């Protein structure tokens, strides 16, 4: 009897744009690879998603200073979990 286990997930995503004046609408293009994957996005602004390809997210500016939103994507299957972190810079509207 042979048992074949799927490999741990490999993740990759693109943020477009990764910075700009707010309010800033950002698209996320998930290019993660693996079998039986589940996703947990945290956009750093109180929003999250479990979709493979989340809808664009609007990041609001601060009235006083530039804001960095920390983004994370956790991808997992039965063979592993990986987390990737990135950020979006939203420039003040003032």
């Amino acid at each position: 009897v042979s048992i074949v286990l799927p490999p741990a997930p490999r993740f990759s995503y693109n943020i477009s744009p990764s910075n700009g004046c707010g309010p800033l609408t950002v698209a996320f293009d998930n290019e993660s690879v693996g079998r039986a994957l589940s996703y947990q996005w945290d956009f750093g602004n109180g929003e999250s998603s479990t979709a493979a390809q989340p809808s664009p997210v609007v990041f609001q500016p601060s009235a006083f200073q530039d804001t960095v939103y920390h983004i994370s994507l956790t991808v997992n299957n039965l063979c592993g979990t990986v987390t990737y972190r990135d950020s979006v810079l939203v420039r003040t509207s003032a």
Side-chain angles (χ1 to χ4, degrees), residues 11 22 27 40 43-44 49 55 63-64 67-68 70 74-75 88 92:
F11 62 91
Q40 180 61 52
F43 300 110
S49 176
S55 299
F64 306 106
T67 304
V68 176
H70 298 280
T74 300
V75 180
V88 170
T92 184

Side-chain angles (χ1 to χ4, degrees), residues 2-80:
S2 72
I3 298 174
V4 177
L5 297 175
R10 291 181 300 156
F11 62 91
S12 173
Y13 69 85
N14 295 309
I15 297 174
S16 179
S18 62
N19 65 72
C21 294
L24 182 66
T25 301
V26 177
F28 297 86
D29 182 24
N30 182 5
E31 299 174 344
S32 300
V33 176
R35 294 181 58 199
L37 298 178
S38 64
Y39 306 93
Q40 180 61 52
W41 294 87
D42 181 343
F43 300 110
N45 63 351
E47 294 183 45
S48 62
S49 176
T50 57
Q53 296 292 343
S55 299
V57 176
V58 177
F59 293 91
Q60 298 298 324
S62 166
F64 306 106
Q65 64 188 17
D66 294 350
T67 304
V68 176
Y69 290 95
H70 298 280
I71 314 301
S72 69
L73 169 60
T74 300
V75 180
N76 65 58
N77 65 11
L78 295 175
C79 293

